[in-house]
Amino acid sequence: MKLVRYGNPGKEKPGLIDAEGKLRDLSGVIKDIGPDQLGDAALARLRKLKTANLPLVKGSPRMGSPVNGIGKFIAIGLNYADHAAESGLPIPKEPIVFMKATTCIQGPNDPVMLPKGSKKTDWEVELGVVIGTKAQYVSQKDALSFVAGYCTVNDISEREYQIERGGTWDKGKGCDTFGPLGPWLVTRDDVPNPQKLGMWLDLNGKRMQIGSTRTMIFSIAKLISYVSQFMTLMPGDVITTGTPPGVGLGMKPPLYLKKGDVIALGIEGLGEQHQLVVPFTR
């Protein structure tokens, strides 16, 4: 299934994309798509619906984050060897874990806002994993059974804040608008092998990133198992799993986002995002 949340910010309704690519309204069936709707039993009930009987949504409404009520937005750094090389950093021996603020989460096509005084805002196409079942000290063998589904993420990053301002990476990763998610949450039954998904990102029509989840250093199953050793993963938590090469930081000379830039990105089977870069506003 492809689950969505559509409508104006803060007033999104639940929906799904049917087999013909049409948007259907789910608000008569569930109140929202959040932690309570992400477990196996809840998703099984949605799969049994006759989608042809669900109301069609007219027009092309805004898409919000496909999941509401995200408790933790966890990110993995340097999870592709060639991205570590372009960043001038060694391949990590264990996953690098940091947090993105949940206040940075937004719809997939909402504008990306440059932070006040930003000099080095960058892009990163990533595979997002949405947890469906409480996960604590899970094995790598069982890890994928705790997944509700997958989505496209743009891990927007301010490199000066991340690297040059001391301390952890978090301060360069959680600025407002730095977490576009979606357009869809694709349930795990429709993603038979999340380690074979092509991914890409364009800036102003020029291909900057191209890669595949098959080249991850640490697999999705490994990441879920690993993170669950340090914190309990709850339904609705999101793990964004790292980016392939081609980010602005790795260019010679480096290239960063500016007002008026247009970003387009996508992951095989998980949909595309399109964002206009805008200046800081209160």
Side-chain angles (χ1 to χ4, degrees), residues 40 43 47 144-150 186-192:
D40 287 348
L43 291 175
R47 285 189 203 98
L144 293 185
S145 68
F146 292 83
V147 173
Y150 304 91
V186 181
T187 52
R188 76 170 188 267
D189 56 307
D190 280 343
V191 186

Side-chain angles (χ1 to χ4, degrees), residues 66-134:
V67 180
N68 193 24
I70 295 169
K72 294 190 288 295
F73 194 0
I74 303 156
I76 306 300
L78 303 178
N79 196 30
Y80 290 73
D82 34 15
H83 172 56
E86 73 174 351
S87 301
L89 296 169
I91 295 174
K93 295 180 179 179
E94 294 191 40
I96 295 172
V97 180
F98 60 94
M99 307 295 285
K100 287 178 73 77
T102 55
T103 49
C104 81
I105 294 169
Q106 64 170 18
N109 304 318
D110 294 341
V112 165
M113 183 175 66
L114 298 171
K116 189 175 182 179
S118 169
K119 298 176 181 177
K120 298 180 179 181
T121 297
D122 205 348
W123 58 85
E124 294 188 7
V125 60
E126 302 198 3
L127 173 66
V129 179
V130 180
I131 300 299
T133 306
K134 181 179 178 180

Side-chain angles (χ1 to χ4, degrees), residues 32 44 58 65 75 86 93 121 128 144 177 188 213 223:
D32 205 346
K58 296 179 181 179
S65 165
E86 73 174 351
K93 295 180 179 179
T121 297
L144 293 185
T177 77
R188 76 170 188 267
T213 57
L223 294 174

